[in-house]
């Protein structure tokens, strides 16, 4: 995820910024850059794809400015490259800007600016900002920034320097964090506390639409109406290690709590007037079959999609683990759309599955989180999830955003194929837009899952049972528990228990039942009775107001949502259950034994 640092004061800005960027490395990035105003009052920019070490190798140590900004980029618009890295500069080379977030109307702004004679070097959304600053500059940087943000749509944390105003850094934010750190005759700016923690623990936290004018002597903050804001000083009492996790004890928990924001970002700009806008030019009329290929958690996202594609779109769909698909001589052809799902975009089996489908003439649609990784590079169409870097090995926010992307695809594809009508699409979309608040509501009750975890932590084995889409959520819940708590977990379609595995149920085997399907809830309740009769302690995830479910030992309720979208909510308590269980067992949550984040070998 992108990171920002800025400095103005008496010290060498270049070394402070480079050290700050290093403190942001844990967030994941693909390129880095720095901009200074040197003692000749020139804007200097050095930026490069790759690690901060690459950036250091191209720095000129004689660039001894006292004011500068730096950035680590995690590509969203425009592949990772030197030119797409930040900072970006205006045509007249006077304004330099770093940006976190997404400027949703960048195409429109770019077209307008090009018509006015401005040019663009990069493929990024961010470059419109320095160019707009040049256009609106009339001798007052604060005014120019105000005019720019009036025309921006989307989210941003912006940090601006200019050779016309070498005594100040302008900062502004909307839906993307930015803090100002206070020093003695020097001040700092950062997207994240760790970047400046070694210099100061006194900070101002910028709120949405506030603009800060930061000089060496002081900081002035204005609200959106231009009124001075009396900012409250916040004293940070974090260690550097805690700060990288923003106060969370593990990346996994941080990432679970980032899910509402990740869903919002994945939806951003993709819903227009009750329809989906994914910019995919798939020839839908030619497609008569869908294949879905992925591994692990990504495969379970695919299984959710397959269920809905079959039940709602009535299109034959084949879903398989990539490691199997690649060797099974799969039944795909030029009329098949193969959907490849991979958080990292680098999983070796998934890439091989893609190539197998392609060799049979299938078109490839990839859903991935990492821009320009190997899998999207070999695909015909791509939907990027906007989860930001996922550092914990256990996948959480990547799964939820894969589901969101898949729902958007199904609605778009079904509508364009004239299978789904406009009313249905609009109603699902408005439900999707309400998902972030519903996840927040679940997260606010996370201590309930911590309580469940205390009960199950000593179990040797646990069952997850459900029907329909709930049985797919069981797969993900069981995988999460196995992966980080090392408790054996079995996910089973609830109706299948009596065909063999009921023999394993005893009072020592807790059972988690997922019962969100309104159509199948009574059947699942019967299955809960079957395991209760065998003395199992029962846990259940269900919607509120489901009468009979009170009979389980422990119930966790979900905010209401249409059945087919329930997997998005169901997974959150399952993630938390696995997380708290692993913590209670003293396991290395973010780095479970024997596992790697990106599996680039067969
Ligand atoms: O990067 P990918 O999505 O291709 O990774 C696929 C699986 O390795 C991954 O989802 C794995 O199952 C997770 N660590 C589970 O939490």
């Amino acid at each position: 995820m992108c990171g920002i640092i800025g400095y103005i004061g008496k010290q060498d800005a270049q070394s402070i910024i480079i050290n700050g960027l290093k403190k942001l490395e844990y967030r994941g990035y693909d390129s880095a850059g720095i901009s200074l105003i040197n003692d000749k009052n020139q804007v200097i920019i050095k930026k490069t794809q790759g690690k901060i070490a690459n950036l250091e190798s191209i720095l000129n140590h004689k660039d001894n400015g006292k004011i500068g900004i730096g950035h680590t980029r995690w590509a969203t618009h425009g592949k990772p490259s030197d030119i797409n890295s930040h900072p970006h500069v205006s045509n007249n080379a006077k304004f330099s800007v770093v940006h976190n977030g997404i400027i949703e109307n960048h195409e429109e702004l770019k077209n307008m600016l090009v018509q006015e004679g401005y040019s663009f070097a990069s493929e990024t959304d961010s470059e419109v900002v320095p160019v707009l600053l040049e256009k609106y500059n009339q001798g007052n940087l604060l005014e120019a920034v105000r005019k720019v943000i009036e025309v921006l749509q989307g989210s941003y944390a912006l940090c601006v320097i200019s050779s016309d105003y070498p005594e100040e850094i302008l900062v502004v934010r909307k839906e993307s964090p930015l803090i100002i750190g206070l020093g003695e005759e020097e001040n700092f700016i950062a997207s994240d506390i760790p970047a400046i923690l070694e210099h100061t623990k006194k900070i101002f936290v910028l709120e949405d639409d506030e603009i800060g004018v930061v000089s060496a002597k002081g900081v002035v903050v204005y609200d959106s109406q231009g009124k001075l804001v009396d900012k409250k000083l916040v004293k940070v009492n974090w260690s550097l290690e805690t700060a990288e996790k923003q106060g969370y004890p593990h990346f996994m928990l941080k990432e679970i709590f980032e899910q509402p924001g990740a869903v919002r970002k994945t939806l951003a700009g993709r819903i227009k007037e009750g329809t989906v806008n994914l910019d995919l030019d798939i020839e839908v009329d030619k497609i008569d079959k869908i294949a879905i290929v992925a591994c692990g958690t990504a495969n379970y996202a695919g299984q959710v999609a397959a269920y809905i594609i079959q039940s709602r779109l009535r299109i034959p769909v084949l879903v398989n683990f990539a490691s199997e698909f690649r060797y099974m001589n799969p039944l795909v052809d030029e009329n098949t759309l193969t959907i490849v799902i991979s958080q990292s975009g680098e999983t070796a089996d998934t890439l091989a599955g893609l190539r197998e489908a392609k060799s049979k003439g299938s078109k490839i649609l990839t859903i991935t989180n990492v821009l320009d990784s190997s899998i999207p590079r070999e695909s015909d169409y791509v939907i990027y999830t906007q989860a930001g870097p996922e550092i914990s090995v256990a996948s959480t926010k990547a799964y939820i955003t894969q589901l969101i992307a898949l729902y958007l695809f199904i609605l778009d594809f079904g509508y364009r194929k004239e299978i789904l009508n406009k009313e249905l699409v609009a109603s699902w979309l408005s439900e999707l837009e309400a998902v972030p608040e519903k996840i927040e509501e679940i997260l606010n009750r996370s201590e309930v899952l911590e309580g469940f975890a205390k009960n199950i932590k000593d179990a040797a084995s646990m069952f997850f049972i459900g029907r329909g889409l709930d049985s797919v959520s069981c797969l993900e819940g069981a995988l999460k528990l196995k992966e980080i708590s090392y408790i054996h977990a079995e996910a089973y379609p609830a109706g299948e228990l009596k065909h063999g595995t009921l023999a394993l149920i005893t009072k020592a085997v807790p059972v988690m039942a997922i019962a969100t399907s309104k159509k199948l809830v009574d059947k699942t309740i019967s299955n809960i009775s079957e395991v209760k009769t065998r003395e199992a302690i029962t846990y259940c995830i269900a919607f509120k107001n489901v009468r009979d479910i009170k009979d389980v030992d422990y119930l966790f309720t979900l905010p209401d949502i249409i059945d087919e979208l329930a997997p998005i909510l169901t997974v959150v308590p399952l993630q938390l259950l696995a997380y708290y269980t692993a913590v209670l067992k003293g396991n290395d949550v973010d780095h479970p034994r024997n596992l790697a984040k990106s599996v680039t070998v067969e």
Side-chain angles (χ1 to χ4, degrees):
M1 210 184 320
C2 303
I4 285 177
I5 169 133
Y7 174 77
I8 184 162
K10 53 202 174 200
Q11 302 188 59
D12 173 36
Q14 182 159 271
S15 55
I16 290 191
I17 289 167
I18 293 295
N19 284 337
L21 289 178
K22 288 180 182 165
K23 297 287 186 311
L24 294 173
E25 281 193 293
Y26 72 92
R27 292 163 59 96
Y29 66 105
D30 50 58
S31 38
I34 180 169
S35 180
L36 305 166
I37 299 177
N38 68 8
D39 48 12
K40 297 188 190 88
N41 206 29
Q42 295 160 322
V43 172
I44 307 285
I45 295 192
K46 293 282 159 68
K47 54 187 192 173
T48 177
Q49 187 181 346
K51 293 290 164 200
I52 291 166
N54 298 5
L55 176 63
E56 285 184 288
S57 72
I58 59 166
L59 293 180
N60 179 347
H61 293 283
K62 291 188 191 132
D63 287 334
N64 53 359
K66 305 289 183 209
I67 169 172
I69 53 181
H71 192 259
T72 47
R73 176 171 189 252
W74 195 77
T76 56
H77 288 74
K79 62 180 183 294
S81 70
D82 293 356
I83 206 78
N84 287 338
S85 311
H86 297 217
H88 291 287
V89 69
S90 56
N91 288 187
N92 64 5
K94 288 185 170 186
F95 295 88
S96 175
V97 173
V98 289
H99 166 224
N100 285 359
I102 298 172
I103 307 295
E104 286 171 15
N105 60 337
H106 69 278
E107 287 290 353
E108 193 182 312
L109 292 169
K110 244 186 198 180
N111 291 342
M112 173 191 85
L113 291 161
V114 167
Q115 276 178 14
E116 291 177 21
Y118 294 98
S119 61
F120 289 86
S122 77
E123 303 161 297
T124 65
D125 54 331
S126 312
E127 197 183 355
V128 295
V129 178
V131 180
L132 284 166
L133 283 165
E134 177 178 340
K135 171 181 159 75
Y136 290 130
N137 177 35
Q138 287 182 332
N140 181 326
L141 186 54
L142 177 61
E143 280 313 309
V145 168
R146 278 210 182 102
K147 286 192 180 134
V148 171
I149 60 173
E150 262 172 36
V151 300
L152 297 184
Q153 286 167 15
S155 59
Y156 45 81
L158 294 167
C159 211
V160 177
I161 55 171
S162 168
S163 52
D164 279 356
Y165 310 92
E167 306 291 328
E168 60 192 26
I169 303 179
L170 265 280
V171 293
V172 59
R173 67 153 270 178
K174 187 179 169 208
E175 293 166 21
S176 187
L178 209 53
I179 55 164
I180 301 170
L182 308 178
E184 294 293 323
E185 293 189 40
E186 60 180 354
N187 288 304
F188 306 82
I189 294 138
S191 52
D192 301 76
I193 293 171
I196 56 173
L197 203 54
E198 66 182 284
H199 304 290
T200 181
K201 295 199 168 184
K202 290 188 285 180
I203 62 165
F204 288 153
V205 179
L206 219 58
E207 301 294 336
D208 274 358
D209 302 316
E210 287 181 345
I211 304 182
V213 181
V214 184
S215 67
K217 301 251 176 314
V219 177
V220 186
V221 177
Y222 299 92
D223 69 11
S224 57
Q225 313 300 315
K227 288 199 202 103
L228 276 177
V229 182
D230 188 12
K231 292 296 293 180
K232 193 170 117 237
L233 189 72
V234 177
K235 291 210 173 118
V236 180
N237 58 1
W238 295 352
S239 68
L240 199 53
E241 156 73 356
T242 348
E244 286 176 346
K245 294 173 187 150
Q246 292 171 354
Y248 290 99
H250 299 97
F251 282 110
M252 182 178 176
L253 192 63
K254 173 174 173 275
E255 287 158 8
I256 291 173
F257 274 77
E258 281 172 347
Q259 291 180 121
V263 170
R264 285 190 185 101
K265 284 187 190 143
T266 302
L267 289 173
R270 288 172 167 163
I271 300 180
K272 294 235 164 85
E273 290 154 15
T275 57
V276 181
N277 172 25
L278 287 172
D279 286 333
L280 302 175
D281 56 356
I282 299 171
E283 290 179 72
V284 294
D285 294 339
K286 279 179 69 177
I287 305 299
D288 59 17
K289 195 197 298 165
I290 291 179
I292 302 181
V293 184
C295 299
T297 287
N299 179 283
Y300 300 150
Q303 292 198 33
V304 170
Y307 193 96
I308 298 166
I309 289 168
Q310 183 182 282
S311 64
R312 283 279 181 179
L313 304 189
R314 310 297 295 151
I315 295 175
V317 52
L318 160 81
V319 54
N320 224 313
F321 293 106
S323 51
E324 295 296 323
F325 182 89
R326 61 187 293 187
Y327 296 117
M328 69 191 294
N329 190 13
L331 212 52
V332 299
D333 56 28
E334 56 283 355
N335 297 118
T336 308
L337 178 69
T338 300
I339 303 177
V340 176
I341 310 166
S342 172
Q343 185 284 131
S344 61
E346 299 293 349
T347 302
D349 282 323
T350 311
L351 185 57
L354 176 159
R355 289 178 180 156
E356 173 68 15
K358 214 171 176 177
S359 73
K360 291 176 177 295
S362 172
K363 291 279 187 200
I364 310 293
L365 164 66
T366 279
I367 293 175
T368 187
N369 195 34
V370 181
L371 198 85
D372 212 38
S373 46
S374 305
I375 290 175
R377 276 209 303 267
E378 296 194 24
S379 304
D380 300 289
Y381 320 101
V382 185
I383 305 174
Y384 283 106
T385 52
Q386 301 291 348
E390 193 178 63
I391 293 164
S392 177
V393 166
S395 189
T396 54
K397 59 180 182 168
Y399 175 72
I400 277 202
T401 54
Q402 284 160 0
L403 288 180
I404 297 290
L406 286 160
Y407 284 116
L408 289 176
F409 162 77
I410 291 168
L411 294 174
D412 185 39
F413 186 82
Y415 179 62
R416 292 206 288 131
K417 234 173 149 38
E418 297 178 6
I419 301 167
L420 302 179
N421 64 38
K422 199 161 184 193
E423 289 67 42
L424 181 131
V425 172
S427 75
W428 280 42
L429 289 176
S430 85
E431 291 261 352
L432 283 176
E433 284 177 310
V435 158
E437 291 85 65
K438 293 183 182 183
I439 299 177
E440 273 154 10
E441 201 265 305
I442 295 170
L443 294 174
N444 287 339
R445 289 182 287 130
S446 59
E447 72 287 348
V448 177
L449 283 315
E450 197 171 0
F452 292 3
K454 285 182 187 143
N455 300 343
I456 67 161
K457 73 175 186 356
D458 297 319
S461 180
M462 179 160 179
F463 265 66
F464 288 72
I465 60 168
R467 287 167 175 262
L469 279 171
D470 290 333
S471 71
V472 184
S473 298
C474 286
L475 292 166
E476 176 58 7
L479 177 63
K480 283 289 93 93
L481 190 72
K482 286 184 266 208
E483 187 176 17
I484 58 170
S485 79
Y486 315 147
I487 293 175
H488 170 257
E490 184 103 24
Y492 234 73
E496 273 295 296
L497 281 176
K498 56 187 166 300
H499 297 290
T501 43
L502 198 55
L504 293 173
I505 302 293
T506 67
K507 64 178 175 209
V509 180
V511 176
M512 166 64 79
I514 303 178
T516 69
S517 165
K518 292 172 190 103
K519 196 170 71 184
L520 297 170
V521 68
D522 290 338
K523 308 271 175 206
T524 310
I525 288 169
S526 303
N527 300 126
I528 295 172
S529 300
E530 281 167 15
V531 296
K532 277 200 81 163
T533 311
R534 272 83 193 172
E535 295 186 76
I537 306 292
T538 50
Y539 297 80
C540 183
I541 295 173
F543 292 123
K544 285 178 188 143
N545 310 323
V546 182
R547 184 181 34 88
D548 295 333
I549 299 230
K550 284 195 209 98
D551 297 338
V552 295
D553 298 302
Y554 299 95
L555 175 65
F556 188 88
T557 56
L558 297 176
D560 209 15
I561 195 166
I562 54 176
D563 278 18
E564 283 137 310
L565 300 183
I568 313 173
L569 301 183
T570 309
V571 74
V572 180
L574 295 173
Q575 295 165 344
L576 288 165
L577 179 69
Y579 170 77
Y580 287 119
T581 308
V583 171
L584 288 168
K585 294 189 77 174
N587 294 352
D588 185 349
V589 175
D590 288 330
H591 307 103
R593 68 186 180 207
N594 308 337
L595 298 175
K597 182 68 186 160
S598 185
V599 187
T600 52
V601 290
E602 183 175 1

